[in-house]
Amino acid sequence: MRVAAAQARSPWLDAAAGAAKVMDFLQRAAADNVDLVAFPETFLSGYPFWVEQTDGARFDDPDQKRAYAAYLDAAVELDGPELRMIVEAVRDLKVFTYLGITERVRGTVYCTLAAISPADAIVSAHRKLMPTHEERLVWGIGDGHGLRTHQVGGLAVGGLICWENWMPLARHALYAQGEDLHVSVWPGSSRLTGDITRFIALEGRVYSLAAGALFSYADIPTDFPFHDQLAERASRYDGGSAIAGPDGQWIAPPVSGEERLVTADIDPAAVRAERHNFDPTGHYARADVLRLHIDRRRLDTAEFID
């Protein structure tokens, strides 16, 4: 089975152009016989880079409100035209896809990881359980509905978003479903992926694939409220996509600064071999002492009964 991280620059706050970029990388993946490809966190339509740099917590600031409105307008819906086009491409190209999106639900944006199957379209939409630090000023808090694994090429595959990969119980929820390949998606930085990618591989005895994006503040549209304040800043977002084996060794070390597919051929037998001496939710677990309760209901603020 061949897997890949799509390390690329996405047109920021331009959903149509971002979807076209996804389509381009899906075609590249199919041409390279890739079975599964992962795109970075909020690849469509962009990470909220401005908040940290512009005093984003200032209450009732008109520029911050206009920035959020622009971000909300650029977000996509699960049944919107961009996702419909991508679902069709996944079906035609037969490449299972994890895609980080900014998901719009009424007046709220969620940081969501959509799993798209060639046979069954969107099979899960995992909303980030807890946005990190300044992200809480922009994204809603997710739920456990997307804590699911999917069968791809004989492997159970699951995914988490950015720093929730550091949440032990979130990882455990996927390991407990027999996860063989763990996908982590990031805004894009080798300083973020260098440690956790190998740690997850060792802890779960899984293949661990990290997908990160490239970004320059020069990519911010000129009509965005903080364009002039941000355009000249140096970006730390250099990609960092990487793949580690279930023994914790690099198959593809973090890649910096290059726009390309980061690929690897993986073997389910290697996962089974590494579980000889450690299986965190199997023979090395103590269900009589430690157990995890997982609520996978999709949470909403209203229930209508007619």
Side-chain angles (χ1 to χ4, degrees):
M1 178 176 171
R2 178 166 290 184
V3 300
Q7 180 160 294
R9 290 172 72 159
S10 174
W12 198 68
L13 301 197
D14 188 336
K21 195 70 172 281
V22 171
M23 303 280 282
D24 174 54
F25 269 81
L26 284 174
Q27 290 168 355
R28 295 190 201 187
D32 197 25
N33 297 313
V34 168
D35 300 292
L36 178 146
V37 64
F39 290 83
E41 180 181 24
T42 60
F43 189 77
L44 186 72
S45 303
Y47 185 82
F49 295 104
W50 81 89
V51 180
E52 180 185 10
Q53 306 287 344
T54 60
D55 195 12
R58 192 184 306 124
F59 188 79
D60 212 26
D61 177 77
D63 285 336
Q64 293 292 343
K65 291 164 79 171
R66 288 197 300 119
Y68 179 79
Y71 194 73
L72 180 64
D73 286 343
V76 299
E77 298 176 349
L78 291 177
D79 60 353
E82 300 86 3
L83 268 294
R84 287 200 299 269
M85 181 172 64
I86 291 167
V87 164
E88 291 177 6
V90 168
R91 179 196 63 205
D92 294 342
L93 296 169
K94 296 180 172 54
V95 181
F96 194 101
T97 300
Y98 275 91
L99 175 63
I101 64 172
T102 52
E103 181 195 357
R104 182 174 60 241
V105 180
R106 298 181 291 275
T108 295
V109 180
Y110 293 96
C111 174
T112 297
L113 182 60
I116 308 172
S117 162
D120 301 309
I122 298 175
V123 289
S124 67
H126 172 58
R127 295 173 180 168
K128 192 172 187 178
L129 293 168
M130 180 53 68
T132 303
H133 202 50
E134 75 274 4
E135 294 170 358
R136 298 175 201 176
L137 297 168
V138 182
W139 294 335
I141 293 173
D143 56 31
H145 188 265
L147 291 175
R148 302 171 188 272
T149 60
H150 308 286
Q151 290 296 314
V152 185
L155 278 77
V157 185
L160 294 175
I161 305 168
C162 200
W163 267 25
E164 69 177 3
N165 284 284
W166 286 109
M167 297 173 71
L169 301 186
R171 297 194 305 271
H172 186 94
L174 297 180
Y175 299 156
Q177 298 173 69
E179 187 182 54
D180 302 303
L181 169 63
H182 183 93
V183 171
S184 61
V185 298
W186 307 83
S189 174
S190 51
R191 67 185 176 85
L192 294 174
T193 59
D195 294 323
I196 188 64
T197 307
R198 293 182 62 234
F199 175 81
I200 288 173
L202 276 171
E203 179 187 56
R205 294 303 200 261
V206 294
Y207 284 99
S208 179
L209 181 153
L214 304 171
F215 178 77
S216 167
Y217 287 114
D219 296 340
I220 292 176
T222 56
D223 60 351
F224 188 73
F226 298 104
H227 172 269
D228 294 344
Q229 186 175 340
L230 296 172
E232 301 303 321
R233 293 178 183 264
S235 173
R236 299 171 295 174
Y237 300 95
D238 65 340
S241 299
I243 304 170
D247 59 355
Q249 299 302 306
W250 287 124
I251 300 173
V255 175
S256 176
E258 297 180 56
E259 188 174 50
R260 67 178 177 90
L261 288 172
V262 179
T263 62
D265 293 310
I266 64 175
D267 180 4
V271 173
R272 293 192 288 271
E274 291 302 322
R275 289 181 182 163
H276 170 249
N277 55 17
F278 186 73
D279 180 358
T281 60
H283 63 75
Y284 211 90
R286 284 293 305 276
D288 56 330
V289 179
L290 303 167
R291 300 185 70 191
L292 175 63
H293 170 82
I294 302 158
D295 185 348
R296 293 202 305 197
R297 290 173 295 177
R298 175 63 88 205
L299 302 181
D300 205 344
T301 56
E303 179 181 2
F304 297 92
I305 302 174
D306 293 320

